[in-house]
Amino acid sequence: MNNGMRSTGSALEIQDLSHTYDGRRAVDGVSLRVEPGEVVCLLGPSGCGKTTVLRLVAGLEKLQAGRILVGDQVVAEPGREAPPEARGVGLVFQDLALFPHLDIGTNVGFGLRRLSAGERNQRVEALLRRLHLEGYSKAWPHQLSGGQQQRAALARAIAPAPGVVLMDEPFSGLDARLRGVVRDEALHLLKADRMTALVVTHDPEEAMFMADRIAVMRAGKIVQVGRPRDVYTRPATEFVAEFLGDVNRIDGVTRGGRVETPFGPLLADGFADGQGVHVLIRPEALRLAGVAAGPGAGPTQGAVKARVLAARLLGRTSWVHFCLNTDPTHRHDATAAGNEEHSHWHARVPGQFLPEEGTELAVSLDAQQAFVFAVGDTT
Ligand code: ATP
């Protein structure tokens, strides 16, 4: 963009941030660097402290411990804090609504008061066009749909080309289809202008869609930072594995660097003999015979027999419930107890694969997508 706007975002550096509310620790020693032009998602369950980190960076919460830099400027350290408007950050918060008494053009141009009227209009119109809101400059916020309002709020936040864009669950008010469209547009815009962004979400799919890197948070701490595929395929902890995606879970005990599963042994390097472990297996790691290898293929080597309990089409993939107990009296709603405990498995299969209930399958395991964690490791 022209108009004297910066074309690449600034680095954001968060150093050893901690925060308590009424003596309760909400953020605990968080450090994170976001490179210029990078989109990083802070991902974690409700209450883990993500919003507090974002509010501290934005200057909406008084800093207690740690330090925040935008570019090479310290914007906050204890006792020395720049006000929000002097930090070079743009905010897209779910509850930060458009100003209802200003039309869309004026809303979007709100942070551009230093530009001449002509330049301001040019920038506002260009942004509205890019977010498919051309023609809405004179409309009032209440005349726009939810998705249009979100896009206008995004345009307002990025209009002044802030060094860093901060987004807190920016798409959560939208229905599923619209959410996909708006976040796609947001990502294109961030990437086209090489903006730096820190995005808070509790939705792993959203994080994987948006992020160059994901920082997974739990109980005030960052537990893993990495590219989406690394966090998904090489989770550092059981919590990360389960938070990022569905898993089948069984208990085991290690012997000679391995742990037995119904699908054969898995490597369990670095565990002492007799260590109790949890084995987490992604549904897409379970290959159903004749599916992965193409229609008509015979049972895969090392496959075990299974029986279909139910199969559902989820759109791009099929979700197959099966049991390893091929006894036809085993019912779908059997409760998990005793030996039945691990008999209900889930597999995700690309495309349409909808075998009838009772069909026999041969199942094999892709060991790359199975993870072994020590029992009692609560990180
Ligand atoms: P969510 O996804 O539900 O917004 P979050 O991960 O963003 O959660 P925070 O909003 O940062 O989490 O909250 C972290 C913890 O701090 C929670 O236990 C929350 O109850 C508490 N908390 C947040 N804001 C305040 C506040 N203003 N006063 C007291 N406690 C607060």
Side-chain angles (χ1 to χ4, degrees):
M1 282 271 166
N2 242 324
N3 299 338
M5 298 297 167
R6 208 177 355 234
S7 60
T8 303
S10 312
L12 168 66
E13 176 116 18
I14 297 171
Q15 297 175 347
D16 210 10
L17 221 55
S18 288
H19 200 81
T20 56
Y21 295 106
D22 310 320
R24 277 194 40 231
R25 183 148 289 210
V27 175
D28 192 0
V30 163
S31 294
L32 180 68
R33 183 178 162 86
V34 186
E35 298 297 338
E38 193 183 27
V39 176
V40 171
C41 284
L42 265 185
L43 172 70
S46 181
C48 73
K50 334 177 269 301
T51 297
T52 302
V53 171
L54 215 66
R55 290 175 59 82
L56 287 163
V57 174
L60 301 175
E61 201 72 55
K62 192 171 159 53
L63 191 87
Q64 297 170 352
R67 190 200 257 209
I68 299 162
L69 292 92
V70 173
D72 47 17
Q73 299 290 315
V74 176
V75 297
E77 56 190 354
R80 196 161 76 89
E81 292 196 63
E85 62 278 9
R87 292 189 175 200
V89 298
L91 312 180
V92 189
F93 284 8
Q94 202 202 331
D95 54 0
L96 214 67
L98 296 166
F99 305 121
H101 58 290
L102 299 179
D103 66 26
I104 295 302
T106 316
N107 258 288
V108 174
F110 193 78
L112 300 175
R113 278 157 296 177
R114 272 178 293 175
L115 297 184
S116 70
E119 285 173 324
R120 187 162 59 231
N121 275 343
Q122 212 185 336
R123 169 97 177 138
V124 167
E125 288 304 328
L127 272 173
L128 291 180
R129 227 177 5 258
R130 285 175 68 183
L131 284 162
H132 306 289
L133 288 170
E134 55 268 72
Y136 284 96
S137 181
K138 295 283 167 245
W140 298 103
H142 73 267
Q143 294 173 314
L144 268 55
S145 71
Q148 289 170 327
Q149 288 183 28
Q150 292 262 349
R151 277 179 275 160
L154 180 66
R156 183 181 62 183
I158 62 178
V164 177
V165 181
L166 304 174
M167 300 178 154
D168 190 359
E169 306 272 3
F171 317 114
S172 60
L174 305 175
D175 66 54
R177 203 196 58 79
L178 203 51
R179 188 158 60 234
V181 173
V182 178
R183 86 184 160 200
D184 187 56
E185 281 167 356
L187 184 61
H188 283 293
L189 203 60
L190 292 174
K191 284 299 170 192
D193 283 3
R194 305 197 59 227
M195 282 183 261
T196 309
L198 183 60
V199 183
V200 156
T201 179
H202 66 275
D203 176 356
E205 216 182 298
E206 180 155 295
M208 286 197 268
F209 184 91
M210 293 288 292
D212 296 309
R213 284 185 305 141
I214 294 176
V216 185
M217 276 190 80
R218 181 187 198 190
K221 293 183 197 295
I222 291 181
V223 288
Q224 187 171 3
V225 186
R227 293 177 304 175
R229 79 181 110 150
D230 293 333
V231 179
Y232 188 82
T233 60
R234 284 188 275 147
T237 69
E238 193 169 336
F239 168 80
V240 175
E242 289 200 297
F243 196 75
L244 266 284
D246 295 304
V247 289
N248 297 280
R249 156 199 264 278
I250 54 172
D251 298 337
V253 176
T254 55
R255 293 260 175 274
R258 285 159 184 261
V259 56
E260 283 303 324
T261 79
F263 311 101
L266 274 179
L267 276 182
D269 272 343
F271 293 103
D273 260 13
Q275 167 75 55
V277 291
H278 293 146
V279 179
L280 273 52
I281 298 174
R282 292 258 187 251
E284 57 269 30
L286 294 169
R287 302 270 160 84
L288 309 187
V291 180
T300 324
Q301 213 185 0
V304 296
K305 267 192 169 177
R307 192 169 56 78
V308 173
L309 298 169
R312 296 282 183 271
L313 182 63
L314 301 183
R316 290 168 306 237
T317 60
S318 301
W319 186 255
V320 181
H321 306 248
F322 65 86
C323 63
L324 297 178
N325 173 4
T326 48
D327 171 3
T329 58
H330 180 93
R331 292 174 31 165
H332 186 187
D333 59 358
T335 49
N339 289 337
E340 294 277 283
E341 191 177 359
H342 310 307
S343 59
H344 186 146
W345 294 79
H346 295 137
R348 192 194 306 277
V349 181
Q352 289 193 27
F353 178 69
L354 301 168
E356 292 291 322
E357 181 181 345
T359 306
E360 280 204 9
L361 296 171
V363 183
S364 57
L365 172 67
D366 170 10
Q368 296 296 315
Q369 303 183 72
F371 318 115
V372 183
F373 298 104
V375 170
D377 182 354
T378 54
T379 50

